[in-house]
Amino acid sequence: MTVIATTQPRAALTEEARAELSALLGDRFTTSLPVREHHGKDESYHTPCPPDGVAFANSTEEVSAIVKICAKHKLPIIPFGTGTSLEGGIAALAGGITIDLSGMQQILRVSAEDLDVTVQAGVTRKQLNEHLRDTGLFFPIDPGANASLGGMSATRASGTNAVRYGTMRENVLGLTVVLADGRVIKTGGRARKSAAGYDLTRLFVGSEGTLGIITEVTLKLYGIPEAISSAVCAFPTIKGAVDTVIQTIQVGVPVARIELLDEVQIDAVNKYSKLDYAVAPTLFFEFHGTEAGVKEQAEMVAAIAAEHGGMEFAWATRPEDRSKLWQARHDAYYAALALRPGSKGWPTDVCVPISRLADCILETKQDLAESNMLAPMVGHVGDGNFHLVYVLDPENPAELAEAQRLADKMVGRALAMGGTCTGEHGIGYGKMAFLEQEAGEAFAVMGDLKRAFDPDNLLNPGKVVRV
């Protein structure tokens, strides 16, 4: 596997810079090789690329001070949350300093009346929901991994609940951001609507640390539904499953989650999570609302599924049963890797308009059938998003080349259908070429924005755009 180099030469960590960072942070600044290696890799197949040092920050003020030192010495800066990204977004391609924000775990304010909360960037989604447990509120965005909320904002994360609650784009009200020169700015606010100036919040959400470092996030909260019920439904064909999804969305059923697992993935999940679902294309559903509302939603979807060959729903209504079901879905990546011990995963995703979802999935499945690649499929199909994990030997050039060919073909197909090269994995450096193809002339405008915010190209260089 190769690393896409930046046009920027690898910076050197000078003794002067090292001394200044150590004076600021003490033993919270380290150049230990194991720590650097941990911070140079994510959950993907991408080659690890460690930084020259790691700085553990506890506050916005410390992040600002670290950035000022790095700017003075022209050291690249890479933000790090929990390391669960999938497109090489935390690789130190030009060296420099990783700023680890995982110690910033304060929940600064909860306003139950206004349904919002402000947290430091290192707070994870599970930590927040545990804190909110007695308030009757929850934060719904669930990308699977227990990711940090700062990282989720930076990558515009979504996940299983996005079909009803949206993505981080819709749920971030405001941010505190440290710019490339160390200045601290606040964007947005707690008001649910504003016509005041440029929408800088949306600019930073999804910028992957290339425009600024997110240190605090203000988020929308939601009331915990009166009733929650989950169900599993198997289908004889993947077309029947996908057509059920399309019709469910088109008739306006407010389903909370619709997840697709193909027969390869459901077999992997059964083995990994000790379940016994039919080995067939399968939909996982979850319904939120009042008791009567959930019953009505479920009856409507069950009728739609039956029209497309769906089998009888298997219900999970107790919290422990729902938890087991969705944990199995979240563990799908590791279940896929367990099909081939010693393998690595090459995950990729696309998102298309819901009307083209069946075409995109069926054509992609046909490509897989004609290939020798093991590639389970899962999808947040309620919003047109699905994923493949190519389970491969990273030392086998033929397998890498075939995975690349298939991934390129899938992305090209999605773009031709009016979709996007990534529904939720982000760009990092793994999908830069695809973003350039998708954005066209807008890609150059993104580069102009990058240069305006970060003229020395110090913030996560080599990611998202070419500078």
Side-chain angles (χ1 to χ4, degrees):
M1 290 175 289
T2 59
V3 170
I4 299 174
T6 71
T7 56
Q8 183 171 338
R10 189 174 180 94
L13 175 60
T14 64
E15 285 302 319
E16 182 182 359
R18 187 195 306 261
E20 291 179 23
L21 290 165
S22 295
L24 175 67
L25 300 171
D27 60 7
R28 287 188 288 119
F29 175 71
T30 180
T31 56
S32 162
L33 181 59
V35 176
R36 292 191 292 115
E37 288 180 337
H38 170 72
H39 286 79
K41 67 182 295 295
D42 58 17
E43 290 281 356
S44 74
Y45 71 97
H46 292 291
T47 303
C49 194
D52 298 310
V54 179
F56 293 85
N58 287 336
S59 67
T60 297
E61 292 72 25
E62 282 191 344
V63 173
S64 174
I66 295 165
V67 169
K68 287 177 180 176
I69 292 171
C70 291
K72 173 184 173 183
H73 295 280
K74 297 296 187 286
L75 287 170
I77 307 155
I78 305 97
F80 183 97
T82 60
T84 57
S85 56
L86 292 170
E87 290 296 346
I90 58 174
L93 302 180
I97 303 300
T98 289
I99 301 181
D100 187 315
L101 304 166
S102 61
M104 297 178 61
Q105 294 202 336
Q106 292 184 48
I107 296 172
L108 301 171
R109 178 196 54 80
V110 176
S111 176
E113 298 85 355
D114 294 314
L115 299 176
D116 65 33
V117 62
T118 300
V119 301
Q120 287 187 313
V123 174
T124 66
R125 64 174 186 88
K126 288 184 179 180
Q127 178 190 347
L128 175 58
N129 279 324
E130 180 66 24
H131 183 85
L132 295 171
R133 187 174 55 182
D134 297 330
T135 68
L137 303 174
F138 80 121
F139 181 68
I141 308 306
D142 179 3
N146 188 24
S148 69
L149 294 163
M152 288 170 61
S153 300
T155 56
R156 199 160 53 220
S158 53
T160 58
N161 278 318
V163 63
R164 176 156 182 163
Y165 297 100
T167 72
M168 291 300 284
R169 180 184 65 187
E170 290 79 35
N171 287 281
V172 175
L173 293 170
L175 299 169
T176 300
V177 181
V178 177
L179 301 180
D181 58 5
R183 282 181 296 162
V184 178
I185 65 169
K186 292 186 180 294
T187 75
R190 296 177 57 202
R192 292 304 174 102
K193 62 185 294 187
S194 173
Y198 299 136
D199 191 349
L200 295 178
T201 302
R202 298 296 167 271
L203 184 59
F204 286 109
V205 172
S207 63
E208 302 185 36
T210 62
L211 301 179
I213 300 173
I214 296 169
T215 60
E216 295 176 9
V217 188
T218 297
L219 299 162
K220 295 180 185 178
L221 299 177
Y222 297 81
I224 296 174
E226 172 190 327
I228 301 175
S229 190
S230 298
V232 177
C233 183
F235 290 78
T237 66
I238 200 160
K239 184 178 189 303
V242 177
D243 285 345
T244 296
V245 173
I246 294 171
Q247 190 172 345
T248 297
I249 298 303
Q250 288 176 340
V251 300
V253 181
V255 62
R257 307 190 202 197
I258 311 180
E259 295 291 298
L260 170 69
L261 292 78
D262 75 354
E263 67 282 359
V264 183
Q265 184 66 71
I266 202 72
D267 181 49
V269 164
N270 280 343
K271 292 172 179 175
Y272 187 82
S273 298
K274 307 296 188 292
L275 300 173
D276 59 355
Y277 294 122
V279 179
T282 300
L283 293 177
F284 287 6
F285 296 97
E286 189 163 278
F287 307 97
H288 293 180
T290 63
E291 293 284 355
V294 164
K295 183 175 183 294
E296 181 182 12
Q297 292 172 42
E299 288 174 350
M300 290 179 65
V301 175
I304 293 170
E307 290 178 10
H308 297 286
M311 302 175 192
E312 187 175 351
F313 277 21
W315 290 98
T317 54
R318 297 186 306 169
E320 58 269 31
D321 294 333
R322 294 200 312 272
S323 178
K324 183 177 181 181
L325 172 67
W326 293 109
Q327 188 59 51
R329 167 60 186 89
H330 291 328
D331 288 340
Y333 178 71
Y334 305 106
L337 297 185
L339 289 173
R340 185 180 178 185
S343 64
K344 292 287 187 181
W346 178 328
T348 189
D349 79 317
V350 295
C351 188
V352 295
I354 193 74
S355 64
R356 301 306 309 272
L357 181 62
D359 295 335
C360 196
I361 288 180
L362 291 171
E363 291 176 29
T364 299
K365 288 285 289 182
Q366 183 61 38
D367 287 345
L368 293 174
E370 296 169 358
S371 171
N372 60 356
M373 293 297 296
L374 175 61
M377 177 182 289
V378 299
H380 311 314
V381 285
D383 49 15
N385 179 210
F386 69 93
H387 311 249
L388 290 181
V389 179
Y390 298 103
V391 182
L392 48 76
D393 174 3
E395 305 304 321
N396 185 323
E399 289 189 20
L400 289 170
E402 178 66 354
Q404 186 71 66
R405 183 186 74 82
L406 291 170
D408 290 355
K409 190 172 183 181
M410 184 174 83
V411 170
R413 176 180 299 121
L415 294 181
M417 292 178 175
T420 177
C421 66
T422 174
E424 62 183 21
H425 288 185
I427 297 298
Y429 72 82
K431 284 194 169 179
M432 285 175 64
F434 295 138
L435 176 62
E436 188 168 8
Q437 179 183 350
E438 178 178 333
E441 285 299 315
F443 189 75
V445 177
M446 294 180 195
D448 293 341
L449 283 168
K450 167 68 170 173
R451 281 182 283 271
F453 276 83
D454 181 20
D456 292 323
N457 194 25
L458 298 181
L459 292 174
N460 213 6
K463 316 295 171 52
V464 185
V465 296
R466 305 185 197 284
V467 176

